[in-house]
mmCIF file of all heavy atoms in Angstrom:
data_model
loop_
_atom_site.group_PDB
_atom_site.id
_atom_site.type_symbol
_atom_site.label_atom_id
_atom_site.label_comp_id
_atom_site.label_asym_id
_atom_site.label_seq_id
_atom_site.Cartn_x
_atom_site.Cartn_y
_atom_site.Cartn_z
ATOM 1 N N ALA L 1 7.802 -32.083 -122.038
ATOM 2 C CA ALA L 1 6.714 -32.672 -122.806
ATOM 3 C C ALA L 1 6.508 -34.154 -122.459
ATOM 4 O O ALA L 1 5.380 -34.665 -122.518
ATOM 5 C CB ALA L 1 6.993 -32.519 -124.303
ATOM 6 N N THR L 2 7.578 -34.825 -122.064
ATOM 7 C CA THR L 2 7.444 -36.216 -121.649
ATOM 8 C C THR L 2 6.644 -36.323 -120.374
ATOM 9 O O THR L 2 5.751 -37.196 -120.233
ATOM 10 C CB THR L 2 8.842 -36.858 -121.454
ATOM 11 O OG1 THR L 2 9.559 -36.839 -122.687
ATOM 12 C CG2 THR L 2 8.713 -38.293 -120.948
ATOM 13 N N LEU L 3 6.892 -35.433 -119.411
ATOM 14 C CA LEU L 3 6.081 -35.427 -118.178
ATOM 15 C C LEU L 3 4.618 -35.160 -118.488
ATOM 16 O O LEU L 3 3.717 -35.785 -117.916
ATOM 17 C CB LEU L 3 6.611 -34.404 -117.189
ATOM 18 C CG LEU L 3 5.854 -34.365 -115.856
ATOM 19 C CD1 LEU L 3 6.070 -35.642 -115.055
ATOM 20 C CD2 LEU L 3 6.223 -33.133 -115.054
ATOM 21 N N GLU L 4 4.359 -34.218 -119.380
ATOM 22 C CA GLU L 4 2.990 -33.911 -119.759
ATOM 23 C C GLU L 4 2.317 -35.146 -120.348
ATOM 24 O O GLU L 4 1.156 -35.461 -120.028
ATOM 25 C CB GLU L 4 2.954 -32.761 -120.770
ATOM 26 C CG GLU L 4 1.537 -32.258 -121.126
ATOM 27 C CD GLU L 4 0.827 -33.151 -122.143
ATOM 28 O OE1 GLU L 4 1.528 -33.700 -123.039
ATOM 29 O OE2 GLU L 4 -0.408 -33.289 -122.021
ATOM 30 N N TRP L 5 3.027 -35.886 -121.189
ATOM 31 C CA TRP L 5 2.499 -37.106 -121.808
ATOM 32 C C TRP L 5 2.205 -38.166 -120.732
ATOM 33 O O TRP L 5 1.128 -38.794 -120.739
ATOM 34 C CB TRP L 5 3.511 -37.631 -122.829
ATOM 35 C CG TRP L 5 3.278 -39.015 -123.295
ATOM 36 C CD1 TRP L 5 2.066 -39.620 -123.572
ATOM 37 C CD2 TRP L 5 4.255 -40.014 -123.570
ATOM 38 N NE1 TRP L 5 2.258 -40.918 -124.011
ATOM 39 C CE2 TRP L 5 3.607 -41.171 -124.012
ATOM 40 C CE3 TRP L 5 5.660 -40.017 -123.474
ATOM 41 C CZ2 TRP L 5 4.296 -42.332 -124.351
ATOM 42 C CZ3 TRP L 5 6.338 -41.161 -123.847
ATOM 43 C CH2 TRP L 5 5.654 -42.315 -124.273
ATOM 44 N N LYS L 6 3.129 -38.359 -119.818
ATOM 45 C CA LYS L 6 2.978 -39.399 -118.808
ATOM 46 C C LYS L 6 1.860 -39.121 -117.820
ATOM 47 O O LYS L 6 1.325 -40.034 -117.186
ATOM 48 C CB LYS L 6 4.299 -39.607 -118.058
ATOM 49 C CG LYS L 6 5.395 -40.172 -118.898
ATOM 50 C CD LYS L 6 5.081 -41.593 -119.396
ATOM 51 C CE LYS L 6 6.163 -42.174 -120.280
ATOM 52 N NZ LYS L 6 5.871 -43.555 -120.729
ATOM 53 N N THR L 7 1.454 -37.854 -117.678
ATOM 54 C CA THR L 7 0.357 -37.508 -116.758
ATOM 55 C C THR L 7 -0.935 -37.159 -117.492
ATOM 56 O O THR L 7 -1.940 -36.848 -116.861
ATOM 57 C CB THR L 7 0.757 -36.333 -115.889
ATOM 58 O OG1 THR L 7 1.105 -35.191 -116.706
ATOM 59 C CG2 THR L 7 1.969 -36.667 -115.009
ATOM 60 N N ARG L 8 -0.895 -37.236 -118.817
ATOM 61 C CA ARG L 8 -2.031 -36.791 -119.660
ATOM 62 C C ARG L 8 -3.277 -37.678 -119.423
ATOM 63 O O ARG L 8 -3.196 -38.893 -119.412
ATOM 64 C CB ARG L 8 -1.629 -36.855 -121.109
ATOM 65 C CG ARG L 8 -2.622 -36.252 -122.100
ATOM 66 C CD ARG L 8 -2.097 -36.456 -123.525
ATOM 67 N NE ARG L 8 -0.795 -35.840 -123.723
ATOM 68 C CZ ARG L 8 0.037 -36.162 -124.725
ATOM 69 N NH1 ARG L 8 -0.296 -37.108 -125.588
ATOM 70 N NH2 ARG L 8 1.210 -35.550 -124.833
ATOM 71 N N GLY L 9 -4.423 -37.014 -119.222
ATOM 72 C CA GLY L 9 -5.695 -37.701 -119.181
ATOM 73 C C GLY L 9 -6.000 -38.438 -117.899
ATOM 74 O O GLY L 9 -7.039 -39.121 -117.826
ATOM 75 N N LEU L 10 -5.171 -38.336 -116.875
ATOM 76 C CA LEU L 10 -5.400 -39.112 -115.651
ATOM 77 C C LEU L 10 -6.297 -38.355 -114.693
ATOM 78 O O LEU L 10 -6.209 -37.140 -114.538
ATOM 79 C CB LEU L 10 -4.063 -39.433 -114.992
ATOM 80 C CG LEU L 10 -3.139 -40.370 -115.752
ATOM 81 C CD1 LEU L 10 -1.853 -40.613 -114.926
ATOM 82 C CD2 LEU L 10 -3.813 -41.697 -116.067
ATOM 83 N N ASP L 11 -7.134 -39.131 -113.985
ATOM 84 C CA ASP L 11 -7.976 -38.557 -112.926
ATOM 85 C C ASP L 11 -7.214 -38.589 -111.610
ATOM 86 O O ASP L 11 -6.013 -38.944 -111.550
ATOM 87 C CB ASP L 11 -9.298 -39.296 -112.812
ATOM 88 C CG ASP L 11 -9.114 -40.796 -112.527
ATOM 89 O OD1 ASP L 11 -8.003 -41.218 -112.165
ATOM 90 O OD2 ASP L 11 -10.118 -41.523 -112.631
ATOM 91 N N ALA L 12 -7.896 -38.211 -110.519
ATOM 92 C CA ALA L 12 -7.239 -38.151 -109.228
ATOM 93 C C ALA L 12 -6.672 -39.504 -108.797
ATOM 94 O O ALA L 12 -5.555 -39.563 -108.238
ATOM 95 C CB ALA L 12 -8.215 -37.631 -108.178
ATOM 96 N N ALA L 13 -7.415 -40.555 -109.067
ATOM 97 C CA ALA L 13 -6.952 -41.878 -108.686
ATOM 98 C C ALA L 13 -5.678 -42.258 -109.446
ATOM 99 O O ALA L 13 -4.718 -42.807 -108.891
ATOM 100 C CB ALA L 13 -8.033 -42.942 -108.937
ATOM 101 N N GLY L 14 -5.656 -41.940 -110.738
ATOM 102 C CA GLY L 14 -4.469 -42.242 -111.528
ATOM 103 C C GLY L 14 -3.252 -41.450 -111.054
ATOM 104 O O GLY L 14 -2.147 -42.000 -110.958
ATOM 105 N N LEU L 15 -3.445 -40.181 -110.753
ATOM 106 C CA LEU L 15 -2.344 -39.350 -110.277
ATOM 107 C C LEU L 15 -1.865 -39.721 -108.873
ATOM 108 O O LEU L 15 -0.783 -39.321 -108.464
ATOM 109 C CB LEU L 15 -2.741 -37.861 -110.322
ATOM 110 C CG LEU L 15 -2.899 -37.249 -111.705
ATOM 111 C CD1 LEU L 15 -3.346 -35.801 -111.592
ATOM 112 C CD2 LEU L 15 -1.623 -37.340 -112.529
ATOM 113 N N ALA L 16 -2.707 -40.481 -108.129
ATOM 114 C CA ALA L 16 -2.324 -40.909 -106.781
ATOM 115 C C ALA L 16 -1.800 -42.326 -106.711
ATOM 116 O O ALA L 16 -1.476 -42.838 -105.630
ATOM 117 C CB ALA L 16 -3.556 -40.767 -105.868
ATOM 118 N N THR L 17 -1.697 -42.997 -107.868
ATOM 119 C CA THR L 17 -1.203 -44.392 -107.875
ATOM 120 C C THR L 17 0.243 -44.471 -107.426
ATOM 121 O O THR L 17 1.067 -43.610 -107.782
ATOM 122 C CB THR L 17 -1.349 -44.964 -109.283
ATOM 123 O OG1 THR L 17 -2.744 -45.027 -109.651
ATOM 124 C CG2 THR L 17 -0.746 -46.380 -109.380
ATOM 125 N N THR L 18 0.575 -45.501 -106.624
ATOM 126 C CA THR L 18 1.935 -45.726 -106.197
ATOM 127 C C THR L 18 2.437 -47.079 -106.707
ATOM 128 O O THR L 18 1.642 -47.904 -107.163
ATOM 129 C CB THR L 18 2.058 -45.672 -104.665
ATOM 130 O OG1 THR L 18 1.190 -46.698 -104.119
ATOM 131 C CG2 THR L 18 1.649 -44.316 -104.112
ATOM 132 N N VAL L 19 3.718 -47.304 -106.604
ATOM 133 C CA VAL L 19 4.324 -48.575 -107.037
ATOM 134 C C VAL L 19 5.136 -49.137 -105.863
ATOM 135 O O VAL L 19 5.991 -48.439 -105.312
ATOM 136 C CB VAL L 19 5.246 -48.377 -108.250
ATOM 137 C CG1 VAL L 19 5.985 -49.680 -108.558
ATOM 138 C CG2 VAL L 19 4.446 -47.911 -109.454
ATOM 139 N N GLY L 20 4.869 -50.377 -105.499
ATOM 140 C CA GLY L 20 5.607 -51.026 -104.429
ATOM 141 C C GLY L 20 5.512 -50.288 -103.127
ATOM 142 O O GLY L 20 4.436 -49.820 -102.736
ATOM 143 N N THR L 21 6.624 -50.120 -102.432
ATOM 144 C CA THR L 21 6.637 -49.467 -101.125
ATOM 145 C C THR L 21 6.857 -47.952 -101.258
ATOM 146 O O THR L 21 6.800 -47.235 -100.264
ATOM 147 C CB THR L 21 7.744 -50.026 -100.220
ATOM 148 O OG1 THR L 21 8.998 -49.848 -100.874
ATOM 149 C CG2 THR L 21 7.528 -51.502 -99.967
ATOM 150 N N SER L 22 7.080 -47.472 -102.481
ATOM 151 C CA SER L 22 7.326 -46.032 -102.692
ATOM 152 C C SER L 22 6.020 -45.253 -102.502
ATOM 153 O O SER L 22 4.937 -45.706 -102.860
ATOM 154 C CB SER L 22 7.862 -45.785 -104.098
ATOM 155 O OG SER L 22 7.963 -44.415 -104.372
ATOM 156 N N THR L 23 6.130 -44.033 -101.967
ATOM 157 C CA THR L 23 4.995 -43.127 -101.849
ATOM 158 C C THR L 23 4.918 -42.140 -103.011
ATOM 159 O O THR L 23 4.039 -41.301 -103.063
ATOM 160 C CB THR L 23 5.047 -42.330 -100.528
ATOM 161 O OG1 THR L 23 6.264 -41.554 -100.511
ATOM 162 C CG2 THR L 23 5.026 -43.279 -99.335
ATOM 163 N N MET L 24 5.837 -42.270 -103.971
ATOM 164 C CA MET L 24 5.861 -41.351 -105.099
ATOM 165 C C MET L 24 4.652 -41.513 -105.985
ATOM 166 O O MET L 24 4.204 -42.644 -106.239
ATOM 167 C CB MET L 24 7.152 -41.569 -105.907
ATOM 168 C CG MET L 24 7.396 -40.576 -107.001
ATOM 169 S SD MET L 24 8.964 -40.905 -107.865
ATOM 170 C CE MET L 24 10.137 -40.557 -106.546
ATOM 171 N N THR L 25 4.090 -40.406 -106.475
ATOM 172 C CA THR L 25 2.919 -40.430 -107.360
ATOM 173 C C THR L 25 3.159 -39.489 -108.524
ATOM 174 O O THR L 25 4.022 -38.590 -108.468
ATOM 175 C CB THR L 25 1.640 -39.982 -106.634
ATOM 176 O OG1 THR L 25 1.783 -38.599 -106.255
ATOM 177 C CG2 THR L 25 1.384 -40.842 -105.401
ATOM 178 N N LEU L 26 2.374 -39.652 -109.573
ATOM 179 C CA LEU L 26 2.477 -38.725 -110.704
ATOM 180 C C LEU L 26 1.983 -37.335 -110.325
ATOM 181 O O LEU L 26 2.533 -36.330 -110.798
ATOM 182 C CB LEU L 26 1.652 -39.275 -111.874
ATOM 183 C CG LEU L 26 2.306 -40.467 -112.609
ATOM 184 C CD1 LEU L 26 1.297 -41.119 -113.564
ATOM 185 C CD2 LEU L 26 3.567 -40.039 -113.364
ATOM 186 N N GLY L 27 0.975 -37.262 -109.451
ATOM 187 C CA GLY L 27 0.539 -35.965 -108.949
ATOM 188 C C GLY L 27 1.637 -35.284 -108.188
ATOM 189 O O GLY L 27 1.863 -34.081 -108.308
ATOM 190 N N GLY L 28 2.331 -36.068 -107.349
ATOM 191 C CA GLY L 28 3.462 -35.523 -106.616
ATOM 192 C C GLY L 28 4.565 -35.053 -107.529
ATOM 193 O O GLY L 28 5.210 -34.020 -107.272
ATOM 194 N N LEU L 29 4.817 -35.795 -108.599
ATOM 195 C CA LEU L 29 5.822 -35.366 -109.589
ATOM 196 C C LEU L 29 5.458 -34.016 -110.189
ATOM 197 O O LEU L 29 6.331 -33.148 -110.346
ATOM 198 C CB LEU L 29 5.940 -36.411 -110.678
ATOM 199 C CG LEU L 29 6.868 -37.611 -110.415
ATOM 200 C CD1 LEU L 29 6.758 -38.608 -111.550
ATOM 201 C CD2 LEU L 29 8.304 -37.144 -110.260
ATOM 202 N N LEU L 30 4.197 -33.821 -110.564
ATOM 203 C CA LEU L 30 3.776 -32.563 -111.148
ATOM 204 C C LEU L 30 4.019 -31.395 -110.175
ATOM 205 O O LEU L 30 4.540 -30.352 -110.554
ATOM 206 C CB LEU L 30 2.312 -32.601 -111.533
ATOM 207 C CG LEU L 30 1.953 -33.324 -112.844
ATOM 208 C CD1 LEU L 30 0.447 -33.487 -112.939
ATOM 209 C CD2 LEU L 30 2.482 -32.560 -114.048
ATOM 210 N N LYS L 31 3.622 -31.597 -108.901
ATOM 211 C CA LYS L 31 3.755 -30.522 -107.944
ATOM 212 C C LYS L 31 5.228 -30.272 -107.592
ATOM 213 O O LYS L 31 5.679 -29.136 -107.465
ATOM 214 C CB LYS L 31 2.969 -30.818 -106.674
ATOM 215 C CG LYS L 31 2.746 -29.597 -105.798
ATOM 216 C CD LYS L 31 1.637 -29.816 -104.797
ATOM 217 C CE LYS L 31 1.277 -28.559 -104.057
ATOM 218 N NZ LYS L 31 0.095 -28.776 -103.154
#
């Protein structure tokens, strides 16, 4: 449920956001 909350309501740009040099995204986390 925490993952659902953290990804809730985001569009493609939001799910593709990265932090620093990491390539990790919220969309990648879901998949």
